[in-house]
Amino acid sequence: MIGRRKSGGASVRSVNYATSPLLASKTPPWRSRFVVAMVAASFALLLGRAVWVQVLGNDFYQKQGEKRYAHTLSLQASRGRVLDRNGLVLASSVPSPSIWAIPKDFQADGGERRALARALGMTPTELDTRLAGNPNFVWLRRQADDATWDKVKAMGLKGVYQVREYKRSYPEGESAAHVVGFTNVEERGQEGIELRFDKELQGRDGLRAVVRDRLGRVVEDIGDQTAALDGRDVQLALDSKVQFYAYQRVRDAVAQHGAKAGSVVVLDALTGEVLALANYPSYDPGQRRNLSGAQLRNRALTDTFEPGSTMKPFVASLAMETGRVSPSTVIDTAPGTITITGSTIRDSHPHGALTVAQVIQKSSNVGTVKMAMQMQPREMWEVFSAIGLGQKPQIDFPGAVTGRLRPYKTWRPIEQATMSYGYGQSASLLQIARAYTVYARDGDIVPVSMLRQDGPVAGVKVFEPETARTMRAMLGLVTQPGGTATAAAAIGYSTGGKSGTARKQEGKGYTNKYRSWFVGIAPISSPRIVVAVMVDEPSKGVFYGGAVAGPVFSQVVQNTLRMMGVPPDIPVQAQIVADPAAAEQESF
C-alpha cells in the first residue's frame, strides 16, 4: 500500500515492499542451481584446458613456441671445383651477397625506391611487384656483387638486409662454356660438366640450430651442429690453354668466312682424352641474360651431318684389308663419272687413272665407289659400326647424339655407293674425330673421355696395324703438294688427314649451303693428337674443307704439340700455299 505522510509541511510517499506483486514473486529453485552448474562447468573447462596445455598437449605447444624463436639454419656446402688437366680452375664457388627484405618493415619514399631499383638493376615497377609479395620475406637480388650491396647499404633503408651465399665463377669464360656448363642460382648443374657431375660437385649441407630475433638476427646457438661436407673437385682431361687457342682459331675462321658457326675437337691419340672441345658462337656462363639457342648448342656433340669424304679412307682401308687392292692398284676414274642403277656420281674434276693412294690424295668419288662396289654391304656396315657411326658415344657428358647408320640389309646399290663417300649416314664432329684414332693408333679405336686418364688405354681392333700405317701414309699425301688440303700442313710437324665438303640437306633435297671440315692426325711419324675442325655455312665464296677448315687444323696442331712438348719431326721451314682454294680439288 502506498501512502503519504506529512513531515515538516511536506508530504512523503512510502512503499510497502511486502505487498509489491513484482518483488514479492519467488525465484524458482532450478535457476540458482543452473547458475551454480554453469560456474562449475566453466571451472571444469578451464581446468581441462590447463591439463591439455600443460600435460597432454605439451609437446605441441612447446614446438609452436620454439618456432617463434628457434630455427634450424642450413650450413651450405661449398660446391666442388672443376679443374683442367693441369689443375687450373675452370669453375669455382665464391661468396656473394644476396639482398632480401621484410616488406612490412620496408620504409622508403618515391626517390629512395627509384634509387634502390637502379642499384638492384631493375625497374621501379619490378621492385614494387616484389615488395607486394610475401610481407615477411622477399628476395630483391640473389648473388649480387659487393659493389651492389655497398650501394644499397649506404641508403640506410629500413627492412633491407643481406645474406652471404655462394656464386659460381667461370674464369675461362666463353672459351670453355660448352664443356664446363653452368649452374642455376641454387648451384644445381644445368649444362655440361656441371650437370653431368652435379651429385659429386654438390657435397652435403650441414645444420645449425639457433635462436633468432624478429629481424632474423642470430642471438645464440642451441644444440650441436652438423658440419657441411664440401663437394669434391672434378678434374677434366681438358687443357685450358689448348682449349682457349682452339676457340680463338675457330672464332676467327667463322668471322673470316662469314660462316654461321664452327667447332673444334682435339683428342689425345694415346688415351682418348678430350684436350679441347670448342664451339662458336658461345656465351659467358657467368652472365647468361638474353642467351639464344645458337649460343647454348654444343655443336661438336649435338649437331650431326653427313661426313662426306672423311669416310673414303675407311672404304679404301677395308679394300686393302681384304686384299682387293693395294696402295699401288690403278683405278680408272675417267671420264670422272660413274652411273649406278640410273644415277650418276661424278668427281668435281676428272682425274683419269689413279692409284689407290692417289684416290685418297685427290679425294675421288669415282675411285672410292669402284672400290666400294666390290664389297658386300655388310662389310662396309661392320666397319662403319666399328668406328662408332650409328652409336651414342660412351662419354661422361650430356647431350652426345647417336647419328644415323641404316641397317645394311636396306641398302640399295646407289645408297651403298653414296655411303662410301659419306652421304646417306650422319655423325657428329666428336664421332668423326674418334673414328680417326684408328689411324693414329695403328688400327684400334679407343673410347673418348672428358676426365683425365692416368695413362694409355686399351683400344678395340678395327684394322690390322699394317693397314692402318699404310693408310696413315696416304693421309699424309693429302696435306702435301698435289693433295686437297695443303693449307692443313703444319710448320715443323708432319700432318695427314681428310677434308670434307658437303651440301646441307633441307627437306628432301640439297641446298647451295655447305659444311666444311677437316679431320687429321699429327705427327704422322708418331701420332699424338687427332684434330677435327668444322665450319658451318661459309658464305664468302670459299667453301672447300681444305681451304676453310684446313688452316684452323694447322694452327691448332702447331700450338697443341708445342704445349705438349712434342719435338718437331720435319725441318722447320716456311710453308706457302699461293691459293689454298685452288689447291683443294675435292669431290663432294
Side-chain angles (χ1 to χ4, degrees):
M1 166 180 254
I2 301 174
R4 294 176 181 269
R5 65 183 178 85
K6 294 182 179 180
S7 175
S11 66
V12 179
R13 183 181 239 182
S14 62
V15 178
N16 189 337
Y17 293 98
T19 61
S20 172
L22 180 62
L23 297 178
S25 63
K26 295 183 178 180
T27 301
W30 64 267
R31 184 178 297 178
S32 60
R33 289 195 293 269
F34 175 76
V35 172
V36 172
M38 290 299 295
V39 171
S42 298
F43 277 109
L45 287 174
L46 290 175
L47 180 61
R49 181 64 177 169
V51 171
W52 173 258
V53 172
Q54 297 295 326
V55 181
L56 300 179
N58 181 261
D59 291 342
F60 171 78
Y61 290 103
Q62 288 280 4
K63 291 177 182 178
Q64 290 299 309
E66 289 177 0
K67 284 183 179 180
R68 273 55 176 182
Y69 67 87
H71 300 269
T72 300
L73 303 181
S74 176
L75 300 177
Q76 189 175 4
S78 178
R79 189 174 175 86
R81 300 173 300 169
V82 179
L83 309 173
D84 84 339
R85 65 183 302 106
N86 300 310
L88 297 178
V89 176
L90 300 176
S92 64
S93 295
V94 296
S96 175
S98 288
I99 304 169
W100 60 282
I102 302 176
K104 65 183 181 181
D105 294 341
F106 179 75
Q107 294 180 4
D109 58 29
E112 290 173 329
R113 282 177 174 257
R114 289 190 293 273
L116 177 61
R118 282 196 303 271
L120 295 173
M122 62 178 66
T123 65
T125 302
E126 290 174 331
L127 176 62
D128 291 340
T129 301
R130 293 200 182 191
L131 291 171
N134 186 335
N136 296 311
F137 178 90
V138 293
W139 287 112
L140 296 182
R141 176 82 177 272
R142 297 286 299 274
Q143 298 180 353
D145 52 40
D146 289 327
T148 298
W149 169 240
D150 289 342
K151 291 179 183 178
V152 173
K153 184 179 179 181
M155 298 179 189
L157 299 176
K158 185 178 180 180
V160 179
Y161 311 95
Q162 70 95 14
V163 64
R164 304 298 287 186
E165 293 189 301
Y166 283 111
K167 179 181 180 180
R168 211 65 171 155
S169 173
Y170 302 96
E172 293 300 313
E174 61 185 21
S175 68
H178 291 106
V179 174
V180 180
F182 57 85
T183 64
N184 61 15
V185 72
E186 302 293 343
E187 286 209 318
R188 296 292 185 265
Q190 302 296 298
E191 293 285 347
I193 292 296
E194 294 275 32
L195 173 60
R196 171 60 184 81
F197 293 97
D198 186 52
K199 184 177 180 180
E200 293 83 352
L201 290 164
Q202 266 187 30
R204 186 179 68 244
D205 289 347
L207 298 175
R208 177 190 179 193
V210 300
V211 174
R212 301 177 75 169
D213 65 12
R214 64 180 297 273
L215 298 179
R217 296 174 299 196
V218 174
V219 177
E220 64 175 315
D221 290 309
I222 54 176
D224 297 328
Q225 292 187 16
T226 302
L229 180 64
D230 292 341
R232 72 174 180 85
D233 295 342
V234 173
Q235 187 166 30
L236 304 183
L238 201 78
D239 187 313
S240 58
K241 294 180 180 179
V242 175
Q243 174 75 19
F244 182 71
Y245 189 83
Y247 172 76
Q248 285 186 318
R249 298 288 73 79
V250 74
R251 179 195 62 191
D252 294 346
V254 169
Q256 177 185 349
H257 296 284
K260 181 179 178 181
S263 301
V264 179
V265 174
V266 181
L267 302 181
D268 187 314
L270 300 181
T271 62
E273 293 173 303
V274 178
L275 301 179
L277 191 155
N279 299 281
Y280 184 83
S282 185
Y283 63 95
D284 183 349
Q287 301 291 334
R288 300 189 299 276
R289 291 188 178 182
N290 303 318
L291 284 182
S292 66
Q295 291 174 288
L296 287 170
R297 273 167 57 191
N298 191 343
R299 298 169 187 270
L301 274 78
T302 63
D303 286 17
T304 60
F305 53 89
E306 292 175 308
S309 295
T310 56
M311 290 295 100
K312 293 174 182 176
F314 298 101
V315 174
S317 296
L318 178 58
M320 291 189 295
E321 183 99 331
T322 56
R324 292 182 171 96
V325 299
S326 69
S328 58
T329 299
V330 176
I331 299 175
D332 186 8
T333 67
T337 62
I338 184 172
T339 300
I340 306 291
T341 60
S343 299
T344 300
I345 295 169
R346 64 186 70 251
D347 287 336
S348 293
H349 304 83
H351 298 293
L354 297 174
T355 65
V356 171
Q358 290 173 323
V359 167
I360 298 301
Q361 183 186 32
K362 303 294 184 182
S363 194
S364 169
N365 287 345
V366 174
T368 305
V369 169
K370 286 191 172 183
M371 286 187 283
M373 299 313 290
Q374 300 177 41
M375 307 170 186
Q376 294 297 317
R378 177 181 58 81
E379 295 179 90
M380 286 176 53
W381 182 88
E382 287 176 346
V383 169
F384 290 166
S385 294
I387 62 174
L389 269 64
Q391 303 169 38
K392 187 172 183 177
Q394 299 301 307
I395 184 172
D396 291 322
F397 203 85
V401 295
T402 301
R404 180 169 60 96
L405 178 63
R406 290 172 41 231
Y408 65 87
K409 291 183 179 180
T410 66
W411 293 5
R412 294 177 296 148
I414 184 59
E415 291 173 327
Q416 180 179 350
T418 58
M419 284 186 185
S420 71
Y421 58 91
Y423 279 78
Q425 68 264 62
S426 65
S428 68
L429 190 66
L430 179 72
Q431 287 176 303
I432 299 300
R434 176 179 179 249
Y436 270 68
T437 63
V438 166
Y439 300 120
R441 292 177 53 88
D442 290 345
D444 66 348
I445 190 169
V446 292
V448 291
S449 174
M450 295 299 299
L451 301 181
R452 181 169 180 175
Q453 305 296 307
D454 294 330
V457 297
V460 177
K461 184 178 178 181
V462 178
F463 297 122
E464 293 294 334
E466 185 58 34
T467 301
R469 285 192 287 267
T470 300
M471 179 51 66
R472 191 162 72 226
M474 293 183 188
L475 294 174
L477 298 175
V478 174
T479 62
Q480 295 177 16
T484 60
T486 54
I491 297 175
Y493 297 100
S494 59
T495 61
K498 194 70 190 73
S499 55
T501 308
R503 295 181 186 273
K504 297 184 70 173
Q505 186 176 9
E506 292 183 1
K508 295 183 179 180
Y510 290 90
T511 68
N512 287 324
K513 300 175 183 178
Y514 298 88
R515 279 193 179 94
S516 309
W517 61 90
F518 187 90
V519 56
I521 303 158
I524 287 294
S525 59
S526 180
R528 286 299 310 278
I529 58 173
V530 175
V531 178
V533 181
M534 188 273 290
V535 179
D536 189 14
E537 293 187 21
S539 63
K540 293 188 177 180
V542 179
F543 53 82
Y544 285 113
V548 175
V552 179
F553 170 87
S554 172
Q555 294 161 355
V556 171
V557 162
Q558 293 175 59
N559 183 74
T560 302
L561 292 178
R562 283 198 300 268
M563 288 184 178
M564 295 175 69
V566 177
D569 67 329
I570 59 175
V572 178
Q573 57 186 2
Q575 296 172 330
I576 301 175
V577 178
D579 186 357
E584 171 93 22
Q585 300 292 331
E586 179 185 326
S587 298
F588 58 91

